[in-house]
Amino acid sequence: MISGSLVALVTPMLPNGELDWQRLHDLIEFHIEKGTDGIVAVGTTGESATVTIEEHCQILKRVVDQVNGRVPVIAGSGGNATQEAVHLTAEAKAIGADACLLVTPYYNKPTQEGLYRHFATIAEAVAIPQILYNVPGRTSVDMLNSTVDRLAGFDNIIAIKDATGDLARGKELIEMCSNRIDILSGDDATAAELILMGGKGDISVTANVAPAEMHKLCALAMAGKAEEARALNDRLMPLHKKLFIESNPIPVKFALQEMGLIDSGIRLPLTPLDTSHHAIVCDALAACGLAVTESVG
């Protein structure tokens, strides 16, 4: 059910930082029209760390209601406190999300046993499909493959988003766990290769601005069409790289603004993309054939 190109959706905001519901509506329709296979709402790219818990749930409900079953909706519901993650995951289930994405607890730097107990507690507390999320470059904690292997025994832990970008490690995960859970990429630059090795899709930042292309890339790789997938990935590589020229989602929000798809809002402590990087991101859009001032809705 959950495979292919899964967009890590930005949360549109007005210049004053308030949530922009109209642009959220437009983005959802844009993604469904362009073939995005699933929507991940209020994850890292959706600024989960800067929206309130009330806003978090409001965004999820808006997305679930509007999507209305047309594609899977995966709710970001992780946290660095286990009970907060349990609460958000329960709320996501009540709202009607198809699955939840649970990031490793950031800042606390738990042990591997702490990570196991954290995710085991959530899995036991809330009967909803759950996707583990390991992104050590963002959280300063790394969930080892051996810990993932232990967690793969829970029936409602269905996948992991591996955002390490380490293909050797991803291959080991596939060999170790893919008979029990799906392995999804969380690193656009290496996603095609991970899928060609047996991964099931990509939770993608690039898909925000190039949804049709990322859908095609994942479909080609999942079909084993390596040469075509790699050629398309090479064309998208400027975006894969330049959308991380500053901390995500700063560059991708700027790119979407340049395409006319969202307004300029972003919340502190994140700030708008530095002007010295504007041309770099615009050049990456142009290199992938994406024009500015595209309209939706």
Side-chain angles (χ1 to χ4, degrees):
M1 178 184 71
I2 296 173
S3 62
S5 177
L6 311 164
V7 64
L9 192 70
V10 303
T11 297
M13 296 175 183
L14 298 168
N16 64 3
E18 293 181 5
L19 301 179
D20 189 340
W21 299 117
Q22 182 59 51
R23 291 293 199 176
L24 179 63
H25 172 279
D26 294 345
L27 280 183
I28 291 168
E29 295 306 315
F30 171 66
H31 280 289
I32 290 175
E33 176 189 342
K34 297 293 185 181
T36 293
D37 298 295
I39 294 175
V40 179
V42 209
T44 303
T45 310
E47 293 177 76
S48 57
T50 61
V51 298
T52 67
I53 290 180
E54 181 182 9
E55 288 173 328
H56 193 122
C57 295
Q58 289 173 341
I59 296 164
L60 288 179
K61 180 166 174 47
R62 294 270 188 149
V63 174
V64 168
D65 288 350
Q66 188 185 338
V67 170
N68 194 26
R70 290 178 287 175
V71 297
V73 174
I74 301 98
S77 63
N80 63 341
T82 303
Q83 288 308 310
E84 179 182 335
V86 168
H87 171 73
L88 286 173
T89 303
E91 288 293 312
K93 180 187 176 184
I95 287 166
D98 295 289
C100 287
L101 179 68
L102 294 152
V103 71
T104 50
Y106 43 88
Y107 188 78
N108 295 327
K109 301 183 78 170
T111 64
Q112 294 302 305
E113 181 62 23
L115 289 170
Y116 173 80
R117 294 189 189 185
H118 171 82
F119 288 113
T121 297
I122 302 165
E124 290 169 345
V126 189
I128 188 173
Q130 297 175 20
I131 301 171
L132 310 174
Y133 177 16
N134 190 37
V135 56
R138 190 88 184 203
T139 62
S140 294
V141 61
D142 187 4
M143 183 161 56
L144 301 180
N145 286 357
S146 56
T147 303
V148 178
D149 186 44
R150 291 177 69 193
L151 290 164
F154 287 87
D155 289 343
N156 58 332
I157 293 179
I158 63 165
I160 180 170
K161 174 185 176 182
D162 176 20
T164 64
D166 184 336
L167 288 171
R169 182 170 173 168
K171 184 174 186 292
E172 182 185 68
L173 262 181
I174 290 167
E175 293 170 348
M176 182 183 292
C177 302
S178 62
N179 62 331
R180 291 168 292 154
I181 64 173
D182 290 334
I183 313 304
L184 303 169
S185 177
D187 178 69
D188 284 318
T190 59
E193 293 300 326
L194 188 72
I195 296 170
L196 286 166
M197 291 191 298
K200 299 301 183 183
D202 179 27
I203 297 179
S204 172
V205 174
T206 299
N208 278 282
V209 297
E213 293 82 356
M214 287 303 299
H215 166 76
K216 183 178 180 180
L217 175 69
C218 290
L220 287 169
M222 291 175 69
K225 297 180 179 180
E227 185 175 348
E228 294 175 66
R230 287 170 178 148
L232 178 53
N233 193 56
D234 287 345
R235 292 200 295 274
L236 292 169
M237 194 59 70
L239 284 175
H240 296 338
K241 292 184 176 180
K242 301 310 179 187
L243 289 181
F244 290 88
I245 197 168
E246 287 186 11
S247 297
N248 180 46
I250 292 171
V252 74
K253 276 199 146 183
F254 170 79
L256 286 165
Q257 182 186 348
E258 288 297 297
M259 294 173 69
L261 299 178
I262 65 171
D263 213 321
S264 61
I266 195 165
R267 286 192 180 175
L268 288 170
L270 299 178
T271 52
L273 186 70
D274 189 85
T275 55
S276 65
H277 294 145
H278 285 193
I280 295 171
V281 174
C282 288
D283 287 348
L285 289 170
C288 296
L290 299 170
V292 299
T293 66
E294 183 172 342
S295 62
V296 295

